Amino acid sequence: MRTNADPLTALGALPGVAASVDSVRKAVDRVYGHRVMRRRSTEITSEAALRGARGSAALAGADWALEEVRRRTDFSGEGEPRVVGAALRLTAEAGQLLAVWRQSPLRVLARLHLVAASGAAPDEAVGRPRLADEPVDEPLVTLPLPEAGEMAGRLEGLAGLLPAGSGAPALVTAAVVHGELLALRPFGSHNGLVARTAERIVLIGSGLDPKAVCPSEVGHAELGAGAYAEALAGYTSGTPEGVAAWIAHCGRAVELGARESTAVCEALQRGAA
């Protein structure tokens, strides 16, 4: 789907999207209305960040138990430890980039790739979109890869829509950013981690989830890699049904993230965490 030819505001009118937006809003409101949030929101935010990073890493091939992520301190090893470390760094970075995102999404995406790929990719390829004939290491996303020229044009088009804002609901914007980045895979590596972090930034910066307590990454992982890939394929098909299904999938992920934090609130209220 070419977002520069399909304004974000039009997507909210797709069949089923309004219902997804409403359902997400209700789920988020339930978390923010919990009595624990009024007293211990910082703890909920920290726990949501950890769980979100774990979920994003799981979708990137490093499916560790939450307690393992919590216990470990060394993520410098090759393979799964490096993936988990990248996810943790990105989650920590997301909240620091909101102001920049509103002015220059491309700068933020470059920064996110720099943070994710630190020490894991050739220096000249880190923090910039891929060039012609440069390979992409993204084994869990098997969709056809756009050529570098097409990718660059679509990325610029997406970025051009974001700073000005629109009447589109936050869920719609977040889903499009997430889906387009996965479809384009603008970097040589870590595109999935970057795309999910960008979705997080949109959800926070839009005001839907300002305290970052509804980690959609948790929901994406819970729904599973197969459903994730199927929904993404629907998005890249460009059909109204496929795009609406992807937005609904992202909405369900946010709802599951909200449910996770509600459970954390309940555990804190019982004194069990």
Side-chain angles (χ1 to χ4, degrees):
M1 175 188 175
R2 297 175 183 273
T3 56
N4 54 345
D6 220 345
L8 291 173
T9 51
L11 300 183
L14 291 175
V17 169
S20 294
V21 169
D22 185 58
S23 184
V24 166
R25 168 52 69 189
K26 290 176 180 177
V28 173
D29 286 347
R30 280 194 292 272
V31 179
Y32 278 83
H34 199 285
R35 66 176 63 186
V36 171
M37 278 293 294
R38 291 194 290 271
R39 297 180 286 107
R40 305 176 70 173
S41 63
T42 301
E43 293 173 67
I44 308 301
T45 296
S46 296
E47 187 65 19
L50 182 71
R51 295 178 185 226
R54 192 217 72 81
S56 191
L59 285 171
D63 192 1
W64 288 14
L66 179 63
E67 291 310 313
E68 178 70 5
V69 179
R70 198 189 305 279
R71 179 186 66 83
R72 291 284 288 268
T73 57
D74 181 11
F75 299 99
S76 60
E78 293 298 324
E80 292 188 4
R82 193 179 292 278
V83 172
V84 176
L88 288 167
R89 291 193 302 272
L90 285 171
T91 301
E93 190 81 5
Q96 311 302 314
L97 296 171
L98 296 175
V100 182
W101 177 266
R102 296 184 185 103
Q103 299 299 319
S104 178
L106 293 182
R107 282 179 55 198
V108 171
L109 294 175
R111 173 62 185 170
L112 292 177
H113 187 249
L114 181 66
V115 169
S118 177
D123 289 345
E124 67 274 9
V126 173
R128 64 156 174 78
R130 57 186 168 85
L131 304 177
D133 300 322
E134 287 186 338
V136 173
D137 180 17
E138 203 70 44
L140 297 181
V141 180
T142 58
L143 296 167
L145 185 70
E147 294 291 336
E150 179 186 356
M151 175 275 294
R154 289 172 61 179
L155 191 63
E156 288 282 353
L158 176 66
L161 292 176
L162 299 173
S166 74
L171 171 64
V172 172
T173 303
V176 169
V177 168
H178 185 170
E180 195 71 358
L181 290 175
L182 283 178
L184 296 178
R185 280 148 288 166
F187 302 107
S189 63
H190 300 87
N191 290 287
L193 292 173
V194 169
R196 289 184 288 277
T197 305
E199 180 183 58
R200 168 181 279 266
I201 289 172
V202 173
L203 294 171
I204 298 169
S206 67
L208 177 64
D209 182 22
K211 294 186 178 181
V213 295
C214 302
S216 59
E217 305 97 324
V218 168
H220 285 302
E222 186 173 335
L223 291 167
Y228 189 68
E230 182 179 352
L232 178 63
Y235 174 81
T236 59
S237 74
T239 66
E241 296 80 8
V243 174
W246 169 252
I247 294 171
H249 183 87
C250 291
R252 182 60 180 151
V254 177
E255 290 180 52
L256 290 170
R259 187 183 70 178
E260 185 90 353
S261 286
T262 299
V264 172
C265 287
E266 295 292 335
L268 287 173
Q269 186 168 278
R270 294 191 305 269

